[in-house]
Amino acid sequence: MAVQLGMDLSEAQKYRMEQLNELDEIRQEAILRTNLVQYERAKWHDKYIKEKKFQEGDSSLLFDSKFKDFKGKFQNHWLGPYEIDKIFSNGAVRIKTIDEHQTPLIVNGHRLKIYHKPRSKEKFVKNFQGGSAIRMAKKNPSSPLA
């Protein structure tokens, strides 16, 4: 081919080496652009992830995955409450039921959310009688409690 183009062998080799170097530079630029795009996407994705902090003994609710495709308007998508028994380093969590059998179950931590136990009526009344709502009503005269 070099003879057909009127080049000697050394010029053809130099030309071919320049083409290969140029091709390598194009590949390196593509790799850098790909890494940059992947970094930006990961940064955008991680911005919307809320980290869940579980501790042993917390109460939690388990997502019922049968509702993953069907988002029923009046369906409860959470099961439980369960008690967190152990947290593993890979994100798995062992939970147990709070009934008398205490059946253990290992699930992915992403399927759990913290369950805040409702206050009892006595605690609510005690907190209300502590004057917090009355103090707020005195500060704001337009409140219906004032």
Side-chain angles (χ1 to χ4, degrees):
M1 184 168 144
V3 176
Q4 293 171 352
L5 295 175
M7 300 182 192
D8 63 8
L9 195 57
S10 63
E11 287 181 28
Q13 287 175 342
K14 288 178 185 176
Y15 180 71
R16 186 66 178 154
M17 288 299 292
E18 287 175 5
Q19 284 181 331
L20 290 174
N21 287 338
E22 189 176 321
L23 183 63
D24 190 42
E25 289 175 7
I26 292 171
R27 285 183 183 154
Q28 291 297 325
E29 288 176 13
I31 289 170
L32 289 174
R33 279 194 306 268
T34 302
N35 288 340
L36 179 65
V37 168
Q38 286 178 349
Y39 173 75
E40 292 294 325
R41 285 184 183 168
K43 190 171 145 184
W44 180 84
H45 179 265
D46 293 344
K47 179 171 64 172
Y48 295 103
I49 293 180
K50 182 178 175 185
E51 189 171 339
K52 300 176 185 178
K53 303 261 184 193
F54 297 113
Q55 294 178 354
E56 293 180 10
D58 285 348
S59 294
S60 65
L61 297 175
L62 174 65
F63 181 72
D64 191 2
S65 59
K66 73 179 178 182
F67 291 111
K68 183 178 178 184
D69 296 327
F70 173 72
K71 295 173 175 51
K73 189 172 185 177
F74 298 113
Q75 299 292 328
N76 188 2
H77 300 280
W78 297 94
L79 302 173
Y82 294 94
E83 183 180 340
I84 295 177
D85 189 32
K86 184 173 181 182
I87 302 168
F88 298 99
S89 61
N90 62 354
V93 178
R94 183 170 63 204
I95 58 176
K96 61 183 178 183
T97 57
I98 57 174
D99 59 0
E100 60 273 358
H101 300 294
Q102 294 190 350
T103 309
L105 177 67
I106 297 178
V107 297
N108 189 335
H110 293 292
R111 294 181 58 204
L112 295 176
K113 75 175 180 180
I114 295 290
Y115 174 67
H116 301 285
K117 296 178 183 175
R119 289 195 226 169
S120 66
K121 184 178 179 180
E122 294 81 24
K123 285 184 180 179
F124 177 76
V125 170
K126 181 180 176 185
N127 193 15
F128 188 75
Q129 287 175 344
S132 61
I134 296 171
R135 274 185 262 128
M136 289 175 59
K138 287 180 182 177
K139 287 181 184 177
N140 186 4
S142 64
S143 173
L145 295 175

